Amino acid sequence: MADFQLFIDGAFCDAESGETFDTIDPSTGESLGTVAKADRADAARAVAAARVAFDDGRWSAKRASERAGVLKAVAKGVKDRAGELAEWETRDTGATVVKAKAADVGGAMFWFRTMAEFAPLLDEPEALPQTMAPGPSYNYLQRDPVGVCSAIIPWNFPLQMAAWKISMALAAGNTIVLKPAPQTPVTATLLAEILRDAGVPDGVVNIVPGPGPGAGEELVSNAGVDRVSFTGSTEVGKQVMRMAAGTVKTTTLELGGKSAQVLLDDADLELAIDGILYGIFFHAGQVCTAGSRLLVGDALHDEVVERLVARAADIRVGRAGDRGVTMGPLISARQLETVLGYIDVGAKEGATLATGGEQLTADGLDAGFFVAPTIFSDVTPDMRIAREEIFGPVLSVLRYSDTDDAVRIANDTSYGLAGAVWGSPSKAQRVASRLQAGTVWVNDYHLLNPKYPFGGYKQSGVGREHGLLGLLEYTEAKHVHVAIDQSRASKRWFDMTVPQA
Ligand code: ADP
């Protein structure tokens, strides 16, 4: 029996093949236990369970206000087990204690609670403009659940993202099969227990950790799935979109980014220096919204680079669970190799390594996957380190000549997920309005909130998650037309004659 099992139709079970894989603590390289390895057959069984659970109405036919009560109980369940969840998140993902508690566990609670608040809005049909032509009628918009949802999430915010997908799907009355990333399956398994204990009926949520080409492909192509939500790389997102097209599934994609932080000349540098570092080095840069490009005007450039380097030296890199550590490891040996590869590319392309640039191995860190906070200056927009998503602690600093130039460089990317402007609010807001990105922070960074929509322009994604806008994406919009005039003569189709003008 695997230490962490699949959760299908309300029961924990092993994979049909009996196969397992190990989940690794990226701070130490040690195994935390075995995980049942879902393959195509297991994913298909989970979809079948979700299909039955949707079609018989055990969840979808409840009033949204009743579903909201269950979601509130889930939020409470997360709160009651917060310590245990945070500890596992730290060990399984290399999240610092603060990140695990605030972003992952705190975020999960916040999402379930907020979607519980939004859900009852779906009970009331929305009035539509009335019409008298061709005869009087009243019209309204009813929101139905879409059906069976599948969700595939990455390894950087496992519990929070599981909560994103599950809370929105459930609030709208859908059932769901979630595939956590194989690197970070533990907290989703614990969440399954919480959902069950909170009264989510069997089959409504199913959890199948496993590799993408097997279980993942099944979840995005199975005809029993109505809606796909994928968070991950742009490359895999394109494959997901292609496969989902087979049965024309509604698809939301939240993909990569190369977000720009624009520093204006009138910024409060005390605030901005720390904020910029947070924008790139939070969770070792393994965040889709990471502000990995800093755009600085010529006047401030040298001072800013100097101050960033000095302040970056205060970041304490170490094992995620250790006291005082502010930056943990990368998720895997593979990710370490990718990030070190990009650092090599940056140096070869002619950027100046201002700080960092190496793997950290001292004090017992050699068994984990640690990279020093790294800053490159003299980066030009054509360099790969200015264009490609690195997903690690690497900041590329680019110069701009004036505000128009800054906006042009910021938008010169195939991505458009997020960005920030540091400066006086009035000037910064004007720049923010010109950035092609789904979220722009002014004098802040990384703040996502279940009440506000989130998603990407361009190749950063399709659709929006969160907020009422995001929740509505988990519904089908049904227009109902009720004719008021009951006389046969008033109907256009009666005896098939064309009415006289
Ligand atoms: P990451 O770097 O987070 O692994 P990916 O975009 O490669 O980013 O993968 C994100 C998730 O998508 C992972 O959980 C992976 O298992 C899954 N995945 C990978 N390939 C496919 C695929 N062809 N179809 C569906 N899911 C996939």
Side-chain angles (χ1 to χ4, degrees):
M1 195 177 93
D3 297 319
F4 302 101
Q5 294 184 296
L6 317 181
F7 184 68
I8 300 178
D9 206 11
F12 287 95
C13 59
D14 282 332
E16 260 178 45
S17 66
E19 280 191 53
T20 61
F21 61 94
D22 281 51
T23 186
I24 304 292
D25 179 342
S27 294
T28 64
E30 285 166 10
S31 171
L32 294 170
T34 57
V35 185
K37 183 177 167 189
D39 217 325
R40 275 188 173 275
D42 305 289
R45 200 156 62 82
V47 170
R51 187 77 258 166
V52 171
F54 182 80
D55 290 343
D56 73 12
R58 71 187 76 167
W59 183 253
S60 53
K62 283 186 196 303
R63 284 182 66 74
S65 48
E66 201 181 328
R67 297 197 294 263
V70 177
L71 293 181
K72 275 187 209 145
V74 176
K76 166 129 192 348
V78 172
K79 188 172 180 212
D80 291 346
R81 294 178 67 175
E84 179 195 359
L85 288 164
E87 197 175 316
W88 273 112
E89 202 71 326
T90 290
R91 295 174 71 192
D92 201 24
T93 73
T96 60
V97 176
V98 172
K99 187 255 184 194
K101 283 186 178 167
D104 291 301
V105 178
M109 274 190 283
F110 196 12
W111 254 265
F112 279 109
R113 231 186 270 136
T114 304
M115 290 305 149
E117 283 168 24
F118 283 162
L121 300 173
L122 303 175
D123 276 338
E124 301 304 331
E126 192 183 315
L128 294 174
Q130 300 308 318
T131 176
M132 297 301 285
S137 62
Y138 68 91
N139 294 265
Y140 60 90
L141 193 68
Q142 176 182 318
R143 294 285 177 176
D144 287 342
V146 179
V148 174
C149 302
S150 70
I152 295 176
I153 56 174
W155 37 258
N156 52 352
F157 290 81
L159 181 62
Q160 187 185 138
M161 285 200 201
W164 289 4
K165 312 285 183 187
I166 294 172
S167 66
M168 285 184 285
L170 263 51
N174 303 282
T175 61
I176 182 168
V177 181
L178 174 88
K179 190 182 89 58
Q183 298 87 343
T184 56
V186 175
T187 47
T189 309
L190 301 179
L191 184 60
E193 294 174 2
I194 293 170
L195 292 158
R196 186 190 55 191
D197 296 348
V200 174
D202 293 351
V204 171
V205 178
N206 306 271
I207 296 180
V208 289
E217 286 188 9
E218 183 67 27
L219 291 184
V220 299
S221 57
N222 188 305
V225 172
D226 301 296
R227 181 183 204 290
V228 172
S229 169
F230 171 84
T231 303
S233 63
T234 296
E235 198 186 322
V236 176
K238 289 177 187 172
Q239 291 174 31
V240 165
M241 205 170 187
R242 262 183 234 118
M243 283 195 237
T247 51
V248 197
K249 304 179 196 311
T250 316
T251 307
T252 303
L253 304 173
E254 197 260 279
L255 308 175
K258 192 72 191 176
S259 300
Q261 306 198 50
V262 180
L263 181 73
L264 302 179
D265 287 348
D266 63 0
D268 170 353
L269 286 189
E270 273 302 294
L271 181 82
I273 295 292
D274 276 16
I276 291 163
L277 294 174
Y278 173 64
I280 179 61
F281 296 130
F282 175 55
H283 200 37
Q286 303 167 107
V287 185
C288 44
T289 52
S292 52
R293 292 183 296 149
L294 172 65
L295 277 47
V296 193
D298 291 324
L300 284 180
H301 180 272
D302 294 353
E303 181 194 349
V304 164
V305 171
E306 200 175 299
R307 287 177 71 168
L308 286 171
V309 168
R311 189 70 173 129
D314 295 335
I315 296 173
R316 231 188 103 201
V317 183
R319 280 177 293 267
D322 287 357
R323 185 180 287 274
V325 162
T326 47
M327 196 176 105
L330 297 173
I331 190 65
S332 62
R334 196 183 120 210
Q335 191 62 17
L336 174 68
E337 198 184 311
T338 302
V339 171
L340 292 175
Y342 270 110
I343 291 172
D344 210 32
V345 165
K348 287 201 177 108
E349 283 181 316
T352 304
L353 184 62
T355 189
E358 75 274 320
Q359 182 183 355
L360 298 177
T361 53
D363 306 321
L365 297 188
D366 55 325
F369 317 117
F370 297 90
V371 169
T374 297
I375 300 176
F376 278 108
S377 60
D378 300 313
V379 178
T380 52
D382 55 309
M383 290 183 186
R384 281 182 64 198
I385 59 166
R387 306 199 77 79
E388 297 176 21
E389 181 176 48
I390 299 175
F391 228 62
V394 182
L395 178 68
S396 298
V397 184
L398 296 94
R399 288 170 182 268
Y400 67 80
S401 55
D402 57 23
T403 309
D404 287 345
D405 193 37
V407 170
R408 189 187 55 75
I409 297 170
N411 290 336
D412 178 21
T413 166
S414 57
Y415 293 114
L417 190 60
V421 189
W422 300 92
S424 66
S426 56
K427 196 167 167 204
Q429 266 175 281
R430 284 201 296 277
V431 175
S433 75
R434 298 172 65 191
L435 296 184
Q436 295 161 352
T439 298
V440 181
W441 294 282
V442 171
N443 295 326
D444 223 321
Y445 213 91
H446 282 315
L447 292 178
L448 295 190
N449 186 310
K451 295 179 180 170
Y452 308 132
F454 172 63
Y457 284 30
K458 302 192 244 182
Q459 292 188 36
S460 283
V462 177
R464 291 292 179 271
E465 300 190 284
H466 323 320
L468 195 51
L469 204 61
L471 178 59
L472 292 180
E473 293 208 16
Y474 279 82
T475 67
E476 291 281 11
K478 180 191 286 169
H479 162 216
V480 180
H481 163 108
V482 182
I484 292 171
D485 188 339
Q486 298 299 312
S487 70
R488 288 176 67 184
S490 74
K491 306 295 186 194
R492 294 180 74 107
W493 39 264
F494 182 62
D495 79 10
M496 303 304 280
T497 54
V498 179
Q500 298 301 310

